[in-house]
Amino acid sequence: MELMLDFLHSEILEEDLSTEDICKLYFAADKYQISHFKQKCTRLLLSRLSVAEVCKVLILADLHQDDFLMSCVHNFVKYHANEIFHSSQWEELSNENPILSGRIMLQVWKST
């Protein structure tokens, strides 16, 4: 909450935050409908998207029904599918959320 209040006063979001922290801030921005803060969090998440972190962002996009974020994550998955689908993070996602992982795999398969 402190980071969100700092942003509202300064319009600056620390660049050294973890993906997990940015996801929490995104959650708060969405909950309190602070669109410019949510957009800043989205840009930061997308700029740091990696094979290791993509599942966290995918879950976030799905939970918040954020079509833009989901589309960007889907494109990332499409171009890095081999690495992602063989990662321990993807295996964990598949076990915890088989519907989401199946939906993404189907979309990637259809787009190739």
Side-chain angles (χ1 to χ4, degrees):
M1 192 60 112
E2 184 179 327
L3 288 171
M4 186 173 73
L5 293 173
D6 286 345
F7 174 81
L8 293 174
H9 289 289
S10 68
E11 296 288 321
I12 297 171
L13 189 58
E14 294 178 29
E15 299 289 323
D16 62 344
L17 294 170
S18 69
T19 299
E20 191 168 323
D21 286 340
I22 300 167
C23 287
K24 289 176 184 176
L25 291 170
Y26 175 102
F27 183 89
D30 191 46
K31 179 178 180 177
Y32 296 110
Q33 299 178 358
I34 308 169
S35 61
H36 67 286
F37 185 48
K38 182 178 169 183
Q39 290 170 357
K40 178 74 172 179
C41 291
T42 298
R43 284 192 301 272
L44 197 52
L45 285 168
L46 292 175
S47 72
R48 298 170 161 205
L49 207 51
S50 68
V51 170
E53 302 287 353
V54 71
C55 292
K56 290 177 187 174
V57 181
L58 180 61
I59 292 167
L60 182 74
D62 185 58
L63 282 173
H64 293 271
Q65 299 176 346
D66 186 327
D67 293 335
F68 173 75
L69 186 56
M70 184 63 83
S71 174
C72 293
V73 172
H74 174 263
N75 284 333
F76 183 87
V77 171
K78 182 170 76 171
Y79 290 107
H80 302 279
N82 193 39
E83 291 173 88
I84 292 168
F85 293 157
H86 289 95
S87 70
S88 60
Q89 293 89 349
W90 187 262
E91 183 178 346
E92 186 177 320
L93 173 69
S94 296
N95 290 332
E96 292 177 6
N97 198 332
I99 293 171
L100 175 60
S101 64
R103 193 172 73 227
I104 294 299
M105 289 179 84
L106 182 62
Q107 289 173 346
V108 168
W109 177 76
K110 283 182 175 182
S111 67
T112 55

